Amino acid sequence: MTTDLPVDNGAEADALASDGGIVTIRPVRPEDRPGLAALYSGASPENLGLRFFIVPGPSTVAAELDSLVAPETRDRLTVVAVEGRHLLGVASCARLDNAGRTAEIAAFVADDHHGRGIGTLLLEHLAARARRVGITTFLGQALPRNAGVLRMVRDFHAHTRSHTRLGYVDVAIDLNDRPALDRAADARDRVAERASLHPLLAPDSVAVIGAGQRHGGAGHEVLRALRDYGFTGRLYAINPSGRPVCGMPAVRSVADLPEPVDLAVVAVRADLVPGVLKEAGQRGVRAAVVLSKGFKGSGPAARQRRGEVLRIAREHGIRLVGPGSAGLLNTDPHVRLNACLAPARPPAGGLAVAAQSGTVGIALLADAARSGCGVSGFVSLGERFDVSANDLIAYWYDDAATQAVALHLESFGNPRRFARTVRALGRRKPVLAIESRRATTASHDLVDALFTQAGIIRTTGIGDMLDTARMLIGQPLPTGTRIGIVGNAGGLTPLAADRAEAAGLTCPPLSRETRRQLPRGHDNPVDLGVDATVPAISEAAEIIANSGEVDMLLLMIVGTRANCPPGMMAELGRVVDDHPDVTVTAVVIGSTDDVPTFGARGAPVYQQPDPAVQALSRAQRYAVWRRQPLGRRPDLPGLQTERARALIGQALAEGGGWLSRLRVSAILRSYGIGLLPVFPAATGVAAVAVAERLGFPVVMRAAAAPDRPAAVRPGLTRVADVRDAFDEVAGTVRGAAGVVMQRQITAPTRLSAAIRHDPLFGSLLRLVSEEQSDVHAVRLMPLTDLDARRMWRELDLAADRIPSFDTSALEDLLLRVGRLAEDHPEIAALELAPVLAGPDGVTAADARIRVAAAGAEPDAGLRRLSPVALPGARSTGERLTRDVTRASRPRTGNS
């Protein structure tokens, strides 16, 4: 019996071991038998005993090899881990019965590769393949003394159930517990990324390949930048002549280096890059930044060159930035790495930057240098053959020097994984992004939903991003929206208050007690006049900061010939230092001296009120997001997942497309989503009879094909109305088979909910108020209970209507629609309209569903590096044959 169900999203996947090495996880092949035999023959008797519970003889091992390399089926899956030409480990599962959802697992890893996380990588990829064929539980058995495999299972899933019975430890792993699986995988991923990217971002030695004599050449300039910035490690120049560059000795090739180096900066012609990388890999180089351009294009030659470069990097375990990169920067005083083409050198600080565009990155560094925004690191991603924003997010998660992360991205490789990793990072450190709707390839709704759910702080340009970042680095987050404004800025002070109110902040009146302490009983905003002394301004700021009546403080300072703004800011720095829990910033206008920060913590100083107020507002909104719980994917009773899968499968077998209302209703019903019943009427007389049976008022719709919009006439209250409307409604659609009638429900709120599926981002849910069609809320799957609640709140419905409908019923409907789309990516489009929300519940009056075959899509929970896309390679789902014989029940082995 054959099946069209694809088991995985590709034949193989490169992934990171916990030590940063690159291993390939793939399905087993018949030609793997010698490698598997060597795996077992090279194992110690102790580890073989842990795997088989006895020291196996040749016949036992031979039977195991026969089972492992047999053709894969829906009931038996096997994956192997390979590094270079060496097979390092194997994991397999066998379904316990033909219709079951439980499989028994076994795993074995080469003795000298224990502790590298190979076992958990194998289990991750095996679990992903198993879920696609309906296996939801792994069972295994181990000896109590097998600490390695028990630790491997605990690392794989924190909620693994285990108990000891008859001298063995039985373990059970719930593969449906995705949150727990994902959290564990993300923690392992961060450890692996730190190890993998350390040679790239904090190398002990660097070689610049292509460092020529010519000033202005990329290699020459990067070598000079490294030297001038004071790189603390060992630095080498490589050029064909072997002549010194920038006063530094050079060698002719990578092979002539006196030692293996951590990082190679490659600045040669595009056609030379593959050979250079291969030579670097053979010499032990662990990371490379390719500055060379010339890898774009859609032709076979360009595809061949791209595939060759990444293949060489993977074969030699090289982490690769670029091609087309503008370089790297690490301001850590213990590293001082400036392998970057940007001429500006920003000060050391807490902002890490990843930019896809080299020119945007260079401009951002220049602006950071001008504004005094400190940078911890910078990576110009270029064409992202290998290292992407996802990798850097995992690395910066635990980086002590990084307090905030800034991103400029024009496209997303795996946006589902990006959404989860950046959301986890945002819980610890703010993440900012330049919102470039023209540059980003994804639709606005998709990016909006991704940024909203991930807590990303959206900015409109480079200056706006840095202004906001400065507010978020080294400062406490605002605890509320109340802002106090103090200064000598005259008419600019109330303007700043107006801008604050417009940005969502509040400028509250001060209490009588606080006003009594201020000169002349000033109220908020406090303008002391242009001739106010520094002690007067400082005292007023102290009074308001101590009052507990504001959450943030804005100092408005105007420089004149009669005062000294730098001296004023030095004095006002004491206010910052005395109130470590208050968000403080300042605006200094009219000063010829640039004062970027004040106070020991470096509170930011701006030249105009608008950027200061916008930065405070964004910091406050981020603080609100960070304090909110993430929400959970609640259990939804009554889901008939297999019933929906069968209905969708039948529809696909018949060609897919827009489904009939009968089938749409059945699919929705399987997820607990009811539709208002409809009753057909082929003639006007029949329509009248239906209307009288339903009771007035009624709604009439054209019985149109599901791929066509149907004319609708609501509010028919009399027999004459029905008779008159029939010909009009039925005649709006050619070939319509009469009309369908529904009882009209009176509801205070009319909404529509729609699903659109994107192969990269997944399914997007859009909720719209039919009264305000330009106001909508969007979310990507998976949907949490808090996502559902926030969606209807974002519609800004009239406050007097919100209590008049059942909000919990609406949230339940959104969660069920979201789960349906998440479970069945074949649902390309779904529309529920109108959705009638009233005090007695929520009802969808009509619905449409379009189904289409789903191709290979990224798995948000699967750790894998960018795939090597060779020219002419096509992604096809595997066809598996159901095994008619039962394999021997495997036991969990050692790791």
Side-chain angles (χ1 to χ4, degrees):
M1 176 179 173
T2 62
T3 175
D4 294 335
L5 181 64
V7 174
D8 66 358
N9 287 344
E12 59 184 42
D14 293 324
L16 294 177
S18 60
D19 60 358
I22 299 174
V23 297
T24 300
I25 310 295
R26 60 168 173 79
V28 72
R29 301 168 184 165
E31 58 267 28
D32 288 326
R33 187 182 181 97
L36 289 167
L39 175 70
Y40 286 111
S41 65
S44 66
E46 169 67 13
N47 285 322
L48 287 173
L50 293 174
R51 162 64 182 88
F52 293 96
F53 299 173
I54 59 170
V55 177
S59 60
T60 301
V61 173
E64 173 75 356
L65 297 179
D66 290 342
S67 173
L68 291 174
V69 301
E72 198 172 40
T73 73
R74 289 176 56 89
D75 296 332
R76 189 182 64 246
L77 308 172
T78 304
V79 293
V80 295
V82 180
E83 189 173 40
R85 297 181 180 180
H86 303 288
L87 196 153
L88 309 182
V90 60
S92 60
C93 69
R95 200 187 302 260
L96 294 181
D97 59 79
N98 287 341
R101 304 179 70 80
T102 300
E104 200 161 10
I105 58 170
F108 193 78
V109 175
D111 290 13
D112 52 353
H113 290 277
H114 289 188
R116 298 185 62 200
I118 304 294
T120 49
L121 268 178
L122 285 165
L123 285 184
E124 284 179 35
H125 287 257
L126 185 66
R129 292 165 62 79
R131 280 193 296 267
R132 296 187 191 107
V133 294
I135 295 171
T136 59
T137 302
F138 277 169
L139 298 180
Q141 198 173 68
L143 293 172
R145 71 174 188 274
N146 195 346
V149 75
L150 295 175
R151 183 173 57 252
M152 175 191 75
V153 172
R154 285 196 302 271
D155 288 345
F156 176 64
H157 192 332
H159 297 162
T160 298
R161 302 185 307 275
S162 64
H163 68 278
T164 303
R165 177 177 56 88
L166 300 176
Y168 301 102
V169 179
D170 294 322
V171 296
I173 303 172
D174 180 5
L175 302 184
N176 279 334
D177 189 357
R178 292 302 299 269
L181 289 168
D182 290 344
R183 284 193 298 271
D186 288 345
R188 293 191 297 270
D189 187 47
R190 289 191 287 269
V191 170
E193 289 286 5
R194 291 287 298 178
S196 175
L197 296 183
H198 188 271
L200 177 77
L201 302 177
D204 292 324
S205 52
V206 177
V208 181
I209 305 173
Q213 307 294 319
R214 181 174 59 86
H215 286 272
H220 179 97
E221 297 303 328
V222 166
L223 181 69
R224 191 154 64 94
L226 283 161
R227 181 201 64 185
D228 294 348
Y229 196 61
F231 175 57
T232 59
R234 299 173 299 283
L235 184 59
Y236 301 99
I238 301 174
N239 63 57
S241 69
R243 290 187 295 173
V245 183
C246 301
M248 301 183 61
V251 297
R252 295 178 182 273
S253 70
V254 180
D256 295 329
L257 288 170
E259 62 169 335
V261 298
D262 286 340
L263 173 64
V265 181
V266 180
V268 300
R269 293 197 322 263
D271 60 308
L272 300 178
V273 170
V276 164
L277 278 181
K278 185 173 183 180
E279 189 179 15
Q282 292 169 343
R283 189 66 182 93
V285 171
R286 301 167 63 195
V289 181
V290 179
L291 309 180
S292 316
K293 300 182 183 298
F295 289 86
K296 293 183 178 179
S298 57
R303 291 198 301 271
Q304 176 70 39
R305 186 177 294 166
R306 289 195 293 268
E308 185 180 12
V309 165
L310 185 53
R311 178 181 53 78
I312 290 169
R314 291 288 163 76
E315 285 178 354
H316 295 281
I318 295 174
R319 295 310 310 270
L320 181 69
V321 169
S325 170
L328 308 170
L329 179 68
N330 184 348
T331 63
D332 184 339
H334 299 294
V335 180
R336 297 194 62 80
L337 176 74
N338 184 9
C340 186
L341 292 173
R345 298 179 184 176
L351 182 66
V353 180
Q356 190 166 343
S357 164
T359 55
V360 169
I362 290 172
L364 197 152
L365 290 180
D367 213 27
R370 283 193 297 271
S371 66
C373 182
V375 171
S376 62
F378 165 76
V379 179
S380 169
L381 292 167
E383 296 185 38
R384 300 183 307 164
F385 280 17
D386 176 28
V387 174
S388 68
N390 285 348
D391 299 283
L392 296 173
I393 286 167
Y395 182 89
W396 286 327
Y397 183 91
D398 288 315
D399 183 38
T402 296
Q403 300 175 43
V405 172
L407 304 173
H408 169 261
L409 301 175
E410 296 176 352
S411 60
F412 302 88
N414 186 344
R416 305 184 204 195
R417 183 160 184 79
F418 172 82
R420 198 176 76 243
T421 57
V422 79
R423 183 167 56 244
L425 175 63
R427 289 281 158 174
R428 308 187 86 191
K429 306 172 183 182
V431 181
L432 305 95
I434 297 177
E435 187 173 16
S436 176
R437 292 183 179 265
R438 288 183 180 271
T440 304
T441 56
S443 76
H444 298 167
D445 272 355
L446 290 170
V447 176
D448 286 346
L450 188 153
F451 281 13
T452 297
Q453 288 169 265
I456 295 175
I457 303 166
R458 285 181 273 196
T459 60
T460 57
I462 292 172
D464 192 28
M465 172 185 277
L466 292 175
D467 285 339
T468 306
R470 293 169 62 209
M471 187 66 71
L472 292 164
I473 294 172
Q475 285 254 60
L477 291 172
T479 56
T481 63
R482 302 171 302 170
I483 183 171
I485 304 177
V486 179
N488 70 337
L492 291 175
T493 304
L495 290 178
D498 291 342
R499 297 301 300 159
E501 296 279 358
L505 305 178
T506 58
C507 195
L510 300 174
S511 67
R512 179 181 300 178
E513 175 60 26
T514 301
R515 289 199 310 271
R516 188 182 61 79
Q517 301 175 55
L518 293 169
R520 297 190 296 276
H522 276 293
D523 202 352
N524 192 22
V526 179
D527 175 45
L528 300 175
V530 72
D531 57 349
T533 63
V534 176
I537 298 172
S538 180
E539 182 182 4
E542 285 277 0
I543 290 169
I544 292 179
N546 286 327
S547 70
E549 297 171 24
V550 300
D551 306 302
M552 58 194 88
L553 184 61
L554 172 61
L555 303 178
M556 293 287 298
I557 306 298
V558 170
T560 69
R561 287 182 179 272
N563 62 29
C564 175
M568 296 173 75
M569 298 315 299
E571 180 71 21
L572 291 171
R574 297 177 186 174
V575 177
V576 177
D577 298 340
D578 291 344
H579 298 87
D581 298 329
V582 179
T583 310
V584 184
T585 188
V587 174
V588 176
I589 299 172
S591 173
T592 57
D593 297 301
D594 188 15
V595 184
T597 64
F598 70 120
R601 73 173 181 238
V605 176
Y606 300 89
Q607 295 179 356
Q608 294 293 332
D610 277 6
V613 167
Q614 286 297 330
L616 282 168
S617 176
R618 290 197 178 104
Q620 186 273 327
R621 292 198 298 270
Y622 167 69
V624 170
W625 176 86
R626 185 159 156 173
R627 287 194 297 265
Q628 291 174 341
L630 284 174
R632 60 185 181 87
R633 294 173 74 248
D635 292 329
L636 301 174
L639 299 189
Q640 298 176 318
T641 307
E642 294 305 319
R643 171 66 175 157
R645 182 170 289 115
L647 290 166
I648 293 169
Q650 292 168 7
L652 289 172
E654 296 169 10
W658 292 100
L659 307 184
S660 68
R661 196 179 198 280
L662 184 64
R663 186 168 273 164
V664 167
S665 179
I667 292 173
L668 294 176
R669 218 171 29 246
S670 68
Y671 271 67
I673 303 167
L675 288 180
L676 192 65
V678 297
F679 301 89
T683 66
V685 173
V688 169
V690 171
E692 290 179 328
R693 188 166 68 250
L694 290 174
F696 293 100
V698 294
V699 179
M700 181 184 293
R701 304 174 186 274
D707 60 338
R708 300 178 184 176
V712 181
R713 280 288 302 275
L716 304 177
T717 59
R718 300 177 304 160
V719 168
D721 295 338
V722 174
R723 190 183 300 115
D724 294 342
F726 179 85
D727 291 336
E728 177 188 343
V729 172
T732 57
V733 179
R734 179 178 298 177
V739 299
V740 293
M741 309 287 293
Q742 287 178 307
R743 180 172 55 89
Q744 180 160 323
I745 294 178
T746 301
T749 304
R750 293 170 61 90
L751 308 165
S752 66
I755 288 287
R756 177 166 61 87
H757 185 75
D758 182 89
L760 278 180
F761 284 75
S763 293
L764 176 84
L765 175 60
R766 180 185 177 100
L767 183 67
V768 181
S769 167
E770 292 200 346
E771 297 176 6
Q772 307 175 70
S773 58
D774 59 331
V775 180
H776 64 273
V778 290
R779 290 294 188 278
L780 288 166
M781 301 305 104
L783 200 69
T784 69
D785 55 348
L786 293 182
D787 286 328
R789 186 172 309 156
R790 291 164 186 156
M791 286 188 78
W792 66 261
R793 288 181 173 175
E794 287 174 18
L795 295 185
D796 197 24
L797 301 170
D800 59 347
R801 280 215 317 273
I802 291 177
S804 65
F805 73 84
D806 187 345
T807 56
S808 61
L810 177 59
E811 292 165 17
D812 182 72
L813 173 70
L814 295 175
L815 288 166
R816 290 176 183 275
V817 170
R819 192 69 58 84
L820 175 64
E822 182 186 350
D823 291 345
H824 307 284
E826 299 85 2
I827 296 179
L830 183 154
E831 299 171 9
L832 293 179
V835 175
L836 307 169
D840 298 327
V842 175
T843 303
D846 199 14
R848 299 199 306 159
I849 291 179
R850 181 171 63 86
V851 298
E857 299 186 359
D859 186 327
L862 196 60
R863 290 192 292 152
R864 61 181 299 168
L865 300 174
S866 303
V868 179
L870 296 176
R874 305 181 65 180
S875 177
T876 57
E878 297 180 9
R879 295 175 179 267
L880 302 183
T881 304
R882 184 179 296 276
D883 191 10
V884 295
T885 61
R886 294 302 307 144
S888 60
R889 288 169 56 128
R891 295 186 174 99
T892 306
N894 76 312
S895 66

